[in-house]
Amino acid sequence: MFIGIIALAEGCKRLIEINLSGCPLVSDNSVQALAENCDNLRSVNLAYTNITDEGAYYLAYGACGPKLQVGLFYCSHRLSSPPHFFFLLSPRLLY
């Protein structure tokens, strides 16, 4: 678990956009913290990270803004479902 992202999410509740592409320390817990704490979040890039289905579900159903652009490119090796599946589950997610 990467404590830095969790602390950022808890301390910067007005965060609008974050690019975590290529950060190997991004975890499902980090994504959960973003989804639960950053109500204004409109864009998150998680390409080339190690999130799993659990992290993607947090984004699909978390407290983030009404429309959330998500980058999940090259995360498919950790996701049991294809990335586009999560966009079908939640109409608020933008690909």
Side-chain angles (χ1 to χ4, degrees), residues 28-86:
D28 293 332
N29 292 332
S30 304
V31 175
Q32 179 182 9
L34 289 169
E36 291 177 351
N37 291 290
C38 300
D39 295 345
N40 296 317
L41 194 62
R42 301 288 185 259
S43 177
V44 59
N45 186 352
L46 297 167
Y48 300 99
T49 63
N50 293 317
I51 69 160
T52 67
D53 291 350
E54 184 178 356
Y57 279 112
Y58 287 130
L59 291 175
Y61 299 108
C64 302
K67 293 290 182 187
L68 180 63
Q69 182 177 4
V70 180
L72 292 175
F73 301 108
Y74 300 102
C75 291
S76 58
H77 67 286
R78 300 284 303 206
L79 299 173
S80 64
S81 302
H84 67 273
F85 176 75
F86 298 100

